């Protein structure tokens, strides 16, 4: 059974508590429960969040040899972090870039992603449902890769 890591970046711990008009009313804990339920019988799943760039880098490094792929909502670090991009490239694990909002329909500074060039694909704009879509996309990718 494959093992996935879902990694959430800065401020995503505040989901459902602030700016519900932008990010919805669902909390990160609600999303975690939905993902855990969706994983049953399909994959092992770890679900993490950090507000710290270096901690996210450490968690990406630690995923090598533990998990088969990563779903990453890097939050605002998406648009700034060469360190996260380098960490992803270094572990050579398939990464799905995930966003709740459609970053391409928002401010211009959100259109740039340092994650996109090292990701197998990007899912954005589907709110909390994007987490489940990302799991299915990554599991499908891993199945095809295994042949
Ligand atoms: O749409 C996404 O998932 C984002 O990764 C969310 C980031 C944003 O900087 C990215 O451009 C797109 C922001 C996450 C902040 O989440 C909050 C949740 C509640 C209240 C305030 C911030």
């Amino acid at each position: 059974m494959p093992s996935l890591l879902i990694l959430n970046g800065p401020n995503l711990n505040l989901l459902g508590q602030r700016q519900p008009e932008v990010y919805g009313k669902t909390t990160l804990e609600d999303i975690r429960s939905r993902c855990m339920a969706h994983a049953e019988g399909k994959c092992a799943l770890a679900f993490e969040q950090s507000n710290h760039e270096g901690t996210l880098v450490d968690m990406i490094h630690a995923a090598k040899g533990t998990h088969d792929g990563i779903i990453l909502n890097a939050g605002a670090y998406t648009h700034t972090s060469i360190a996260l991009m380098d960490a992803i490239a270094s572990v050579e694990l398939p990464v799905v870039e995930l966003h709740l909002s459609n970053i391409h329909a928002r401010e211009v500074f959100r259109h740039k992603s340092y994650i996109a060039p090292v990701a197998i694909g990007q899912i954005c704009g589907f709110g909390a449902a994007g987490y489940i879509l990302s799991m299915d996309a990554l599991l499908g990718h891993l199945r095809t890769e295994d042949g």
Side-chain angles (χ1 to χ4, degrees):
M1 194 182 269
S3 179
L4 308 186
L5 170 64
I6 300 183
L7 201 47
N8 295 282
N11 298 308
L12 286 160
N13 54 312
L14 300 177
L15 273 185
Q17 301 168 37
R18 319 254 169 84
Q19 292 182 258
E21 68 288 356
V22 184
Y23 296 113
K25 288 185 187 159
T26 310
T27 66
L28 197 61
E29 181 51 33
D30 293 333
I31 293 174
R32 194 193 67 80
S33 306
R34 287 181 206 175
C35 291
M36 288 299 173
H38 191 67
E40 281 221 10
K42 294 190 192 77
C43 61
L45 182 65
F47 192 98
E48 305 287 353
Q49 188 273 332
S50 175
N51 292 322
H52 305 282
E53 188 175 17
T55 304
L56 293 166
V57 168
D58 287 342
M59 288 197 267
I60 291 167
H61 291 172
K64 182 81 180 168
T66 305
H67 300 291
D68 299 297
I70 302 173
I71 294 163
L72 176 62
N73 184 346
Y77 289 143
T78 302
H79 319 298
T80 62
S81 181
I82 297 169
L84 286 180
M85 178 177 75
D86 287 348
I88 292 166
S90 75
V91 293
E92 296 176 331
L93 287 172
V95 172
V96 174
E97 177 183 357
L98 169 65
H99 301 284
L100 295 153
S101 61
N102 179 357
I103 57 172
H104 305 289
R106 300 184 63 192
E107 302 95 324
V108 169
F109 67 83
R110 293 188 206 273
H111 299 180
K112 167 75 184 172
S113 168
Y114 283 96
I115 309 302
V118 287
I120 56 169
Q122 184 189 71
I123 292 177
C124 70
F126 295 99
Y131 282 78
I132 303 298
L133 296 171
S134 300
M135 287 175 70
D136 288 342
L138 185 51
L139 288 171
H141 173 85
L142 291 169
R143 271 196 298 272
T144 315
E145 226 186 16
D146 284 349

